[in-house]
Amino acid sequence: MTGTLILLAILKTIGSILLGILAVLLVLLLLVLFVPVHYHAEGRLRDQEGGQTLDPGRVKEALQAEFRVFWLFHLVRFSVSWKGERSVCLRILLFRIPLGKQGELEKQEKETVKKSEPEKQKRAKPDIGKIISFLGTDETKEAIHAILEKSGQLLGRLLPTKWKLEGSAGLGGPEGTGMLMEVEGILFPILCGHVWVTPEFEKYSADLDFSAKGSVRLIRFVLTAAALFADRNIRTLIRRGKALTREAI
């Protein structure tokens, strides 16, 4: 009898521990899905001296920008900054994890690409007729329409809620600056209330400040992915696309 009670007590303790672990995992999952990830971008371009033509090198030196992402009351922060060179940093709680500067990242990327370059293999030419027939079906058209629609809705959630661009700019003469103003006029419904740029007609110059901020919840990505996967036409598109890919290898 005593042994049975001890066994029951052990099982009860194990059950309580497992329930506690599941509860913690559930809370973490809800935090990841529903706590918004905030982002903030800001930048400035100070090239007031300018010149007769656009000089990318001078623009590169004059540009300063920073993009920050933070989550869960700034406990997790990620930033990418540009002040002459790119710098990437990740902070978790009070710990700073530098991810390297531009030169180091480019070197690592080149080494990775070099190591991962596959040997050239002869591949069969894809059947253009099958591809055209595949893209021309009603199922494929409906699948592409659904992908564009859902992706557009998700993009709308990702766009910044507040952003502005202000200052002055010129593109090296009346013609270039006129084209800039023409584009601004076409996009006026989008840019209205966000863009205040004084044109400079005599030369190239820039004295601009930009800022934007917004947020997104991971649940939006999950719901979009689920909606796309639930679409029968999209599943058919993926399956047939894989089949065509295998035939072309």
Side-chain angles (χ1 to χ4, degrees):
M1 188 67 178
T2 304
T4 303
L5 291 175
I6 293 174
L7 179 60
L8 289 175
I10 293 174
L11 291 176
K12 182 179 179 181
T13 303
I14 293 175
S16 300
I17 293 173
L18 290 176
L19 285 175
I21 293 174
L22 289 175
V24 171
L25 292 176
L26 179 60
V27 170
L28 290 176
L29 178 62
L30 292 176
L31 286 175
V32 170
L33 291 177
F34 291 99
V35 174
V37 177
H38 298 273
Y39 64 86
H40 183 203
E42 60 182 359
R44 57 198 61 84
L45 180 58
R46 296 284 186 269
D47 191 9
Q48 297 174 321
E49 182 178 350
Q52 296 302 315
T53 58
L54 176 64
D55 184 352
R58 189 171 61 239
V59 173
K60 188 176 179 180
E61 292 179 359
L63 177 64
Q64 293 186 6
E66 185 175 20
F67 178 73
R68 300 191 301 273
V69 177
F70 46 93
W71 177 68
L72 202 59
F73 307 107
H74 292 256
L75 294 179
V76 179
R77 289 173 287 175
F78 174 78
S79 65
V80 180
S81 61
W82 175 271
K83 294 180 180 179
E85 62 179 11
R86 186 175 65 230
S87 178
V88 185
C89 181
L90 173 66
R91 288 180 181 270
I92 301 177
L93 299 177
L94 300 176
F95 302 98
R96 184 176 184 272
I97 306 173
L99 301 179
K101 295 187 177 181
Q102 182 185 17
E104 299 171 0
L105 292 173
E106 289 178 350
K107 184 179 179 181
Q108 293 174 1
E109 290 171 359
K110 289 179 180 178
E111 291 177 353
T112 303
V113 171
K114 187 176 180 180
K115 291 179 181 179
S116 61
E117 281 182 350
E119 295 181 0
K120 292 184 179 180
Q121 299 177 352
K122 291 184 178 180
R123 293 188 176 184
K125 293 183 179 180
D127 191 328
I128 303 300
K130 286 185 178 180
I131 295 176
I132 294 175
S133 176
F134 166 64
L135 294 176
T137 62
D138 292 337
E139 292 83 358
T140 300
K141 293 178 181 178
E142 291 177 4
I144 293 174
H145 175 75
I147 292 172
L148 293 176
E149 181 182 8
K150 296 298 183 183
S151 300
Q153 292 174 358
L154 180 60
L155 179 61
R157 300 285 185 178
L158 291 174
L159 292 176
T161 54
K162 294 182 180 180
W163 65 278
K164 65 178 180 178
L165 174 66
E166 55 186 354
S168 62
L171 291 182
E175 183 178 354
T177 305
M179 292 177 60
L180 177 64
M181 294 183 65
E182 184 177 349
V183 172
E184 184 178 350
I186 294 173
L187 299 178
F188 180 77
I190 300 174
L191 305 181
C192 180
H194 299 283
V195 176
W196 298 272
V197 177
T198 303
E200 169 60 61
F201 289 97
E202 298 300 326
K203 60 178 181 178
Y204 159 77
S205 66
D207 183 13
L208 298 170
D209 289 278
F210 171 78
S211 65
K213 63 180 179 179
S215 63
V216 64
R217 290 177 170 85
L218 185 59
I219 188 65
R220 300 289 183 187
F221 293 92
V222 175
L223 293 176
T224 300
L228 292 174
F229 185 76
D231 192 301
R232 179 175 57 83
N233 293 321
I234 293 178
R235 294 200 304 272
T236 303
L237 174 68
I238 295 173
R239 185 174 63 254
R240 292 181 178 176
K242 288 181 178 179
L244 286 174
T245 303
R246 286 195 297 268
E247 291 178 5
I249 294 177

